[in-house]
Each structure stands twice: as structure tokens, then as C-alpha cells.
């Protein structure tokens, strides 16, 4: 058996299906180590971590190959709530370890798969006639309303539309009694983060938590790699332990990810204790095209690469393991990415924040978050690796897919595309718009009007422009970005869509002498777009100075729209007599 499988089987184990007649005995809950994901199938959230979103095959018999250079093994089977007989839940006391980051965040998205699965676990148990005891850790960092257990119980009551009662068993060191359970059907224990016995996996503490509990359901995948009283210790005192629906969904994603052969394959790695996770890291290096370190382990990798780091950030006995991983990744030609800078707080003046290069953090400063250079590098890696999730049949989209292509990024309600398509039958026009409702309306209009040289795709152009346009059989001759929404809450009215990766893709794919048309009714936005295209255009783009015939605030702009077709917002601005800030860039001949 491969070393990774030994690690996995040590930390990923659950008891087999048990009946109510079985005696209580020691059980182990599912735990997981490092996780990776193919960029093709993910959506990322940078607030506190990464959220993996993919379509998953729900077959419980799905086999997952784990290691390319050794025995191909399958992940061990995990008992799930879905497989447990419903009748065995009637009148049972079921303890649910839930994920506070999913259910207690300041903005709970009830439409998200993670939230719906987590809520369904609790509702399912309630509907099956079980008494449910909820437990988790929480912090006011994720939601300032999480003042105490009663406040959390009120939030959960509102979300579940069921009455949740807060209990004070832990602080009173008083075991739960059966008669206490007659007061309601769903209960909440106190904040586990307030008790050191939780992280110590204290047996007496686990026994207190599990008093009167028959079944344990672990639905906190993000905590399952830790040996906690609420995930491992409690299982010793329950006759059955299993994974909830949210946990099950994450496990299916992990299985699918482990066997994927899609490229490129990028692993984003956080957390610490590199020595303990060395086998998992070597496994990732054997499968991935890049390893991106963002947590405590990044300092050990930096040290192995010869960079100096503060002594308080060095993990004891981890240096040799880090050297081995760096060498292994080098031999496999796997890219190793680590932070280039950090936001740091002054240990003596905690309110002071400053950005330091990764290899130059001063002794009195403590890294607390990734710096701007690090985030930009990660963003570039991720977005340049993403592939559009389905193929486009250009022969269906257009009557003649060999015609030169014009792309309008952020096409809105499609007035510009539709007007241009009617005027220029020698070109094909493509609108990229993130608002799905607008895209459907535009496609309906195209169909009803019989236009065969216009098409719309619902997508985030920041991450899909390169893969969409690179598959088009003809030349890309014009790209337009018109009236993007400015964000006045950010410096320089930054617009989140116009990122470096998108500009680089435009510069690469645009035909020689191709054009980029930019316009906005906000001068600061137009100026920033111009600066970004000139900065990130790889030297391939330059301003067409001969066309600029008006000056506003000392800057030269195009007075008229050179195409004679206005977008809806442009027309609105013109009607109210406000100025438009327009400019045109060209791609150098021979680029």
C-alpha cells in the first residue's frame, strides 16, 4: 500500500453501519488531510479560504485512484447518514457537529450547496423523529452577532424555522438528562472554542458532551482533520457515528478530484505542521501542475528554498521534510508558489499594519494575511488555469464561423452587439455577460430577429475570455469594454472584472492591427482602464493618438463613438448631456 493510503486510512475511518442493539464501543470519525482541486471545476472564495463547487457523481460505489506511482487504491468507505436506516433514528438522541463557517457566517447564502446540505442534515434528523443536539465552535470574527449560545440558537432558529434551545451543560459540568430533552426537539451546546478540553480531545470532556447521546453525525468537513473531543472523543461513547449530508458532499468532491485527469491541476495549500503532512504533499506533487502555499507551511517551504524567515515561524523538525518536498516537486517539474509579501501587525502596537516582503519581515512584526503581490500572483495562476466548463459549437452560434470576431465584454442588454451585427454582416459579434437573465433575453432577441452573426454567452469574462475566444476558428479583430460599473468604495474606482489575466488574454489573442475600444462616463474609470491595458498589455498595445480630437481636464479622448452604435448606458449618458470618455488602442503589427 502506498504511503499516502496509509495516511488516509489512518485518518479517514468511520464505523460500519450499526444497529441500536449494538453495545457502545470506541469509534473513529472521518478525518481528512490536505485537499486539492482541479481549476477546471472550481469557484473560489478568498474570504477565509477556498470554496470548491463542482458537479459530483453521487454513486457510493465510486472508486477513486490515489497514487500514480504505486498501487492504485480506493478511499475507504465512509458510513453516511444517507445510508443509515431512517427507522433507527426515531426517538434517538443525535449529536450533530456542524460547521459554523457555513451556518453562522454574517451573510448566509441559503441558495449555496454547502448551506443547503448543512441545513438539510439537521432538518432530516428532525423529520425522522430524532432529538437533535447541535455543537460547534464559533467566533465573532465570522459574525459580530455571535455573542453567546443564546444568540447563536436564535440565529439557527430563524434559519431552520425550528425552535432551537441553548443548553448550559458544559460550563455547569452537568451531564444532559433525558428529562431535559422533553423541552424541545433541537438543542445547542455552548461554544466549544471556549474549552481547552476540546482541542486536547479530553476523554472526560467528550463523555460530558455525549451524555445521553446515541448517534454522532459529523457534518463539519473542515474540522475533520483535527483530533477533537467533538469529532473523535465523542465517537467512543456513541453506538453509531457517520457523516452528514454536507460532509458527504465534500467527500464526493474529494473522491472526484483525486481521480481527475484534467489539466492543469492546481493545489492551494494552507495550514501548518508540514512534517505531519509531508506524505500528502508528496502525493499532491505527484498529481498537480503547481503547488501554491498560502499558510504556515509556506514559511517552511521558503526556508527550504534558502530564504530567511523569522525564527518564531520555523516549525521544529520540519526542515528535512520541506527539503524533500522541494526536491520532489523539482524532479517532477511542478511549480512551487509561495507568498511574496505579507500584511503584518506590530506585536507591540496591534493596530499598526504594514506590508513586508516575505523574506524581510521584521522581528517585531507578525504576518497576519497575504500581501497584494501574493494575491495578484495567486489570482493570475488560478484564472489563467481555469478552463471554460463546456464546449462551444461555433457553427451553431454563427452562420459563418470563419468571419472575424468582435467581442463586447460586459454586453448588458446587448444593444451594441445587436446594432453592430445588423450593420456589419462581414463580422461576427459575441457578447460576454455575467448576468444570466440578460443573456437569455439577448439570445431570445437574436433568435426572434433571425440575426446569424450575433451570439451571447453567460460567463465571467475575467476567467473565461481566453478559453472561449481561443477556440474560435476566425480572427479576433476588436474587443470593447464599455461603461463598466465603478466601485467608489475602492481606491481609484477599481473595477473587479478588469484584471491583469483578462488584459493579457486580450493582448495575446487579438489579431495584428486589432483594436481595443474603451469608454466610460466616469473619467477615473476610463483612465484606470487605459493605464491597465498599457501596463499589462505585454507591450503589444498602444494608443491610437491620431484619432483623439477633444481634451477634458488635460487628457485627450475620442469625441464620438467611432462605430456609430451606442450601448444602452452610453445613450443614457448622451441624453442627459454628460461627457463620455472614449479611447482606442491598437495591437502592434508583428506582435
Amino acid at each position: 500500500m502506498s504511503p499516502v493510503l496509509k495516511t488516509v486510512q489512518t485518518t479517514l475511518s468511520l464505523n460500519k453501519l450499526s444497529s441500536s442493539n449494538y453495545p457502545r464501543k470506541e469509534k473513529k470519525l472521518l478525518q481528512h488531510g490536505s485537499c486539492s482541486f482541479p481549476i477546471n471545476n472550481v469557484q473560489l472564495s478568498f474570504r477565509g479560504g477556498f470554496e470548491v463547487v463542482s458537479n459530483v457523481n453521487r454513486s457510493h460505489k465510486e472508486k477513486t485512484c490515489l497514487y500514480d506511482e504505486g498501487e492504485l487504491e480506493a478511499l475507504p468507505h465512509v458510513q453516511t447518514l444517507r445510508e443509515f436506516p431512517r427507522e433507527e433514528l426515531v426517538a434517538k438522541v443525535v449529536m450533530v457537529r456542524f460547521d459554523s463557517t457555513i451556518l453562522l457566517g454574517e451573510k448566509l447564502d441559503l441558495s449555496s450547496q454547502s448551506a443547503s446540505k448543512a441545513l438539510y442534515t439537521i432538518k432530516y434528523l428532525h423529520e425522522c423523529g430524532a432529538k437533535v443536539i447541535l455543537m460547534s465552535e464559533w467566533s465573532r470574527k465570522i459574525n459580530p452577532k455571535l455573542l453567546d449560545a443564546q444568540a447563536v440558537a436564535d440565529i439557527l432558529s430563524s434559519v431552520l424555522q425550528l425552535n432551537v434551545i441553548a443548553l448550559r451543560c458544559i460550563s455547569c459540568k452537568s451531564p444532559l438528562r433525558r428529562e431535559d430533552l422533553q423541552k424541545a426537539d433541537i438543542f445547542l451546546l455552548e461554544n466549544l472554542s471556549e474549552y481547552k478540553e476540546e482541542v486536547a480531545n479530553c476523554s472526560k470532556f467528550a463523555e460530558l458532551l455525549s451524555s445521553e447521546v446515541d448517534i454522532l453525525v459529523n457534518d463539519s468537513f473542515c474540522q475533520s482533520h483535527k483530533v477533537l473531543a467533538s469529532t473523535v472523543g465523542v465517537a467512543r461513547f456513541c453506538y453509531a457515528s457517520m457523516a452528514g449530508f454536507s460532509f458527504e458532499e465534500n467527500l464526493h468532491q474529494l473522491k472526484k478530484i483525486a481521480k481527475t485527469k484534467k489539466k492543469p491541476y492546481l493545489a492551494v495549500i494552507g495550514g501548518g505542521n508540514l512534517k505531519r503532512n509531508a506524505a500528502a504533499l508528496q502525493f499532491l506533487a505527484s498529481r498537480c501542475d503547481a503547488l501554491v502555499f498560502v499558510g504556515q507551511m509556506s514559511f517552511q517551504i521558503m526556508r527550504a528554498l534558502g530564504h530567511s524567515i523569522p525564527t518564531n515561524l520555523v516549525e521544529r523538525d520540519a526542515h528535512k521534510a520541506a527539503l524533500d518536498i522541494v526536491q520532489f516537486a523539482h524532479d517532477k517539474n511542478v511549480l512551487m508558489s509561495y507568498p511574496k509579501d505579507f500584511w503584518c501587525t506590530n506585536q507591540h502596537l496591534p493596530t499598526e499594519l504594514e506590508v513586508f516582503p516575505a523574506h524581510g519581515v521584521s522581528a517585531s512584526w507578525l504576518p497576519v494575511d497575504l500581501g497584494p503581490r501574493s494575491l495578484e500572483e495567486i489570482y493570475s495562476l488560478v484564472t489563467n488555469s481555469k478552463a471554460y466548463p463546456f464546449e462551444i459549437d461555433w457553427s451553431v452560434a454563427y452562420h459563418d464561423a470563419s468571419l472575424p470576431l468582435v467581442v463586447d465584454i460586459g454586453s448588458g442588454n446587448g444593444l451594441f452587439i445587436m446594432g453592430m451585427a445588423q450593420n456589419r454582416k462581414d463580422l461576427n459579434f459575441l457578447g460576454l455577460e455575467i448576468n444570466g437573465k440578460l443573456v437569455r433575453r439577448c439570445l431570445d432577441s437574436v433568435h426572434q430577429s433571425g440575426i446569424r452573426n450575433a451570439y451571447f454567452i453567460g460567463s465571467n469574462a475575467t476567467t473565461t475570455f481566453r478559453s472561449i475566444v481561443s477556440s474560435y476558428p476566425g480572427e479576433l479583430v476588436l474587443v470593447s469594454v464599455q461603461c463598466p460599473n465603478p466601485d467608489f468604495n475602492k481606491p481609484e474606482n477599481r473595477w473587479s472584472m478588469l484584471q491583469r489575466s483578462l488584459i493579457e488574454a486580450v493582448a495575446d489573442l487579438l489579431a495584428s492591427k486589432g483594436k481595443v475600444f474603451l469608454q466610460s462616463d466616469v473619467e477615473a474609470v476610463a483612465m484606470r482602464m487605459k493605464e491597465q491595458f498599457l501596463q499589462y498589455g505585454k507591450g503589444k498595445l498602444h494608443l491610437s493618438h491620431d484619432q483623439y480630437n477633444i481634451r477634458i481636464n488635460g487628457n485627450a479622448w475620442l469625441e464620438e463613438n467611432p462605430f456609430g452604435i451606442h450601448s444602452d448606458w452610453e445613450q443614457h449618458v448622451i441624453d442627459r448631456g454628460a461627457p463620455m470618455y472614449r479611447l482606442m488602442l491598437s495591437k502592434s503589427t508583428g506582435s
Side-chain angles (χ1 to χ4, degrees):
M1 181 182 292
S2 70
V4 171
L5 260 295
K6 291 180 180 178
T7 302
V8 169
Q9 289 197 334
T10 299
T11 57
L12 279 80
S13 58
L14 272 177
N15 60 296
K16 305 274 185 182
L17 182 65
S18 306
S19 72
S20 58
N21 297 323
Y22 286 3
R24 294 189 179 193
K25 57 183 178 180
E26 182 173 349
K27 310 288 183 184
K28 289 186 178 180
L29 284 180
L30 177 64
Q31 304 171 47
H32 77 282
S34 299
C35 179
S36 67
F37 42 82
I39 294 306
N40 306 67
N41 294 329
V42 305
Q43 177 179 0
L44 301 178
S45 171
F46 283 89
R47 294 191 62 186
F50 295 86
E51 180 183 357
V52 183
V53 181
S54 62
N55 296 320
V56 178
N57 183 349
R58 298 181 179 279
S59 170
H60 290 285
K61 298 179 181 179
E62 179 180 347
K63 298 295 183 180
T64 304
C65 297
L66 279 181
Y67 210 59
D68 287 338
E69 297 186 351
E71 253 182 284
L72 294 178
E73 305 272 359
L75 280 169
H77 177 72
V78 174
Q79 172 65 31
T80 67
L81 181 57
R82 186 186 307 275
E83 298 170 324
F84 196 78
R86 290 176 64 102
E87 60 271 17
E88 289 291 330
L89 297 170
V90 178
K92 295 296 191 300
V93 180
V94 181
M95 177 166 278
V96 178
R97 177 57 158 96
F98 71 92
D99 186 345
S100 62
T101 61
I102 294 177
L103 293 184
L104 300 181
E106 192 169 2
K107 294 182 179 180
L108 176 62
D109 182 6
L110 295 176
S111 64
S112 72
Q113 192 174 46
S114 56
S116 63
K117 294 286 185 182
L119 292 173
Y120 183 57
T121 294
I122 302 169
K123 290 182 177 181
Y124 175 85
L125 292 168
H126 176 262
E127 291 168 1
C128 287
K131 294 285 185 178
V132 182
I133 300 177
L134 305 175
M135 63 174 175
S136 188
E137 85 301 329
W138 57 81
S139 166
R140 293 183 67 184
K141 290 181 180 179
I142 64 171
N143 188 343
K145 296 179 181 178
L146 305 181
L147 301 174
D148 52 25
Q150 185 57 55
V152 173
D154 292 342
I155 292 173
L156 292 173
S157 296
S158 175
V159 171
L160 291 164
Q161 294 297 295
L162 297 167
N163 187 28
V164 179
I165 292 183
L167 296 175
R168 293 184 55 83
C169 300
I170 308 176
S171 57
C172 300
K173 297 183 179 180
S174 173
L176 187 67
R177 298 171 301 175
R178 283 278 169 174
E179 50 265 34
D180 296 332
L181 298 174
Q182 305 309 312
K183 300 176 183 178
D185 292 326
I186 304 179
F187 302 87
L188 172 71
L189 294 184
E190 294 151 276
N191 189 352
L192 294 176
S193 66
E194 297 178 359
Y195 300 92
K196 61 184 180 182
E197 296 90 343
E198 160 72 347
V199 294
N201 189 24
C202 173
S203 180
K204 290 184 178 180
F205 183 73
E207 187 173 10
L208 175 65
L209 292 178
S210 61
S211 58
E212 299 300 331
V213 174
D214 301 305
I215 299 168
L216 174 65
V217 173
N218 186 358
D219 214 26
S220 181
F221 191 73
C222 71
Q223 293 291 333
S224 60
H225 64 293
K226 300 177 182 178
V227 180
L228 305 173
S230 63
T231 58
V232 175
V234 170
R236 297 180 57 196
F237 304 98
C238 301
Y239 80 80
S241 304
M242 64 203 71
F245 294 114
S246 177
F247 199 129
E248 179 189 26
E249 183 67 23
N250 279 279
L251 186 60
H252 276 303
Q253 292 172 4
L254 179 61
K255 288 181 176 182
K256 184 176 181 180
I257 287 161
K259 71 172 186 177
T260 186
K261 290 181 170 56
K262 292 183 178 179
K263 295 289 184 176
Y265 199 141
L266 176 69
V268 181
I269 302 163
N273 204 329
L274 183 141
K275 183 179 179 181
R276 186 183 67 186
N277 292 302
L281 293 174
Q282 291 215 8
F283 160 60
L284 292 175
S286 73
R287 298 293 302 276
C288 297
D289 300 293
L291 303 182
V292 181
F293 290 89
V294 297
Q296 178 70 21
M297 279 190 278
S298 63
F299 293 105
Q300 319 320 313
I301 296 298
M302 290 162 57
R303 184 172 178 233
L305 291 169
H307 300 291
S308 61
I309 63 171
T311 54
N312 62 317
L313 299 174
V314 175
E315 287 184 8
R316 197 174 69 178
D317 301 330
H319 189 55
K320 184 181 183 303
L323 287 171
D324 291 343
I325 291 163
V326 168
Q327 185 61 51
F328 186 84
H330 180 268
D331 294 343
K332 290 283 187 179
N333 198 28
V334 173
L335 172 67
M336 299 276 285
S337 174
Y338 55 87
K340 302 303 184 291
D341 58 354
F342 293 97
W343 279 103
C344 300
T345 182
N346 191 309
Q347 297 185 61
H348 305 297
L349 300 169
T351 57
E352 285 193 13
L353 284 172
E354 191 171 327
V355 176
F356 285 90
H359 57 276
V361 179
S362 299
S364 60
W365 294 78
L366 184 68
V368 293
D369 206 348
L370 298 177
R373 279 189 60 205
S374 302
L375 290 176
E376 184 175 337
E377 180 176 299
I378 293 171
Y379 191 89
S380 179
L381 276 171
V382 170
T383 54
N384 284 331
S385 298
K386 291 189 78 170
Y388 201 60
F390 51 83
E391 294 182 0
I392 303 166
D393 190 341
W394 297 107
S395 63
V396 173
Y398 300 113
H399 176 69
D400 182 357
S402 66
L403 294 177
L405 181 68
V406 174
V407 178
D408 186 33
I409 298 174
S411 53
N413 62 15
L415 290 184
F416 177 76
I417 289 289
M418 298 291 286
M420 290 287 285
Q422 289 173 339
N423 282 3
R424 295 292 302 269
K425 302 296 184 182
D426 58 327
L427 299 171
N428 283 335
F429 295 87
L430 174 64
L432 300 180
E433 170 58 47
I434 200 168
N435 188 321
K437 290 183 179 179
L438 290 179
V439 171
R440 287 191 289 273
R441 289 179 196 166
C442 291
L443 289 173
D444 287 342
S445 298
V446 168
H447 179 71
Q448 291 170 9
S449 63
I451 296 175
R452 294 301 310 276
N453 64 330
Y455 193 66
F456 294 86
I457 295 177
S459 74
N460 182 345
T462 305
T463 56
T464 61
F465 181 92
R466 183 182 295 274
S467 54
I468 292 174
V469 177
S470 62
S471 69
Y472 182 74
E475 283 190 325
L476 175 66
V477 295
L478 173 65
V479 174
S480 61
V481 182
Q482 304 185 53
C483 304
N485 296 322
D487 186 347
F488 291 105
N489 295 317
K490 295 182 179 180
E492 301 173 293
N493 299 318
R494 285 182 290 183
W495 184 41
S496 60
M497 191 194 79
L498 200 57
Q499 299 290 340
R500 177 175 180 170
S501 58
L502 174 58
I503 297 171
E504 289 178 345
V506 171
D508 289 340
L509 298 176
L510 198 63
S512 180
K513 297 185 180 180
K515 306 291 185 182
V516 176
F517 177 58
L518 307 174
Q519 69 169 344
S520 173
D521 60 318
V522 180
E523 185 177 14
V525 173
M527 287 294 295
R528 182 167 179 82
M529 287 197 293
K530 179 180 77 171
E531 292 165 0
Q532 287 179 306
F533 268 93
L534 293 177
Q535 180 181 358
Y536 300 131
K538 300 183 175 182
K540 300 176 181 180
L541 302 174
H542 65 273
L543 291 169
S544 302
H545 294 286
D546 56 324
Q547 300 180 37
Y548 290 64
N549 44 27
I550 63 167
R551 299 188 73 85
I552 304 176
N553 298 328
N555 296 308
W557 305 99
L558 294 173
E559 184 174 8
E560 300 291 340
N561 184 321
F563 308 108
I565 302 294
H566 299 151
S567 68
D568 56 333
W569 185 255
E570 181 185 9
Q571 188 60 55
H572 170 73
V573 172
I574 293 171
D575 290 343
R576 72 169 190 253
M580 286 295 298
Y581 304 90
R582 307 181 180 94
L583 58 106
M584 188 81 74
L585 299 98
S586 298
K587 185 170 181 178
S588 305
T589 305
S591 294

